[in-house]
Amino acid sequence: MALPDADEKAVSDAAVAAEPTADSTDPTEPEAESPRPARGLPSAVRYAALILLVLVTIAAAAVAGRLWSEERAAAGRESSARDAIAAASEAATALTGLSYRRHEESLARLRDLATGEFRQQIDDQSGAFATTLTTHRVESRGRVLAAGIEERSEGGATVVVIAEASVSNNASEQEDRRHYRLRFGMTQHDGRWLVRGLEFVP
């Protein structure tokens, strides 16, 4: 029986050595990483963050609503003050713009702007007032120089008006220019500002 040739045995040994074994690994191939569990916020933390977000939103809406209400209230007060000043200025113009030729019209205008005690005074003194105007042939042209709120309360206001009048009568050949400082007590009635009291301020 013939022995294997030395070259054939070397080739056989090299083939066996080249076959991979079950335990052999490629040292250059990276090891596969095992999947990591997804990391997230705990449910309690997420719930607390959601509650915080809701509270912040509600608080912001409340602040915005309060600011809007305050702006509306301020605008309403400013508008009401302007109306009170306008009504007092109209009353001052009526008081300083009198004519013996139109005394009934002048008294009616004053009466329409008055209420309470002041209106009662006009009614009580209307006869004497008309007599004075016609007897002395009084003509007066008035205008308002300045007006402003002195005090303000719920449904009421005190308005100070500075007015000027050019007055003529049968006792003087020249017009007499006069200045008045008038304090009107105003009250709001059915959406209108009316004069409840009048004071001449030195």
Side-chain angles (χ1 to χ4, degrees), residues 36-57:
R36 296 180 180 179
R39 293 183 179 180
L41 292 174
S43 58
V45 175
R46 290 198 303 269
Y47 182 75
L50 179 61
I51 293 298
L52 180 60
L53 178 61
V54 171
L55 292 177
V56 169
T57 303

Side-chain angles (χ1 to χ4, degrees), residues 5-25:
D5 186 77
D7 290 337
E8 291 180 2
K9 184 176 185 304
V11 171
S12 177
D13 291 342
V16 172
E19 291 182 0
T21 62
D23 295 335
S24 64
T25 58

Side-chain angles (χ1 to χ4, degrees), residues 53-115:
L53 178 61
V54 171
L55 292 177
V56 169
T57 303
I58 293 174
V63 170
R66 186 174 69 251
L67 291 176
W68 181 76
S69 298
E70 290 176 355
E71 288 180 1
R72 284 197 62 187
R77 288 192 297 270
E78 184 177 348
S79 175
S80 183
R82 286 196 302 266
D83 292 343
I85 293 172
S89 298
E90 185 178 357
T93 302
L95 280 170
T96 57
L98 303 171
S99 172
Y100 74 95
R101 296 185 177 91
R102 301 181 302 276
H103 61 83
E104 292 182 356
E105 180 183 335
S106 298
L107 286 173
R109 185 182 179 191
L110 277 174
R111 187 181 292 110
D112 182 61
L113 296 169
T115 189

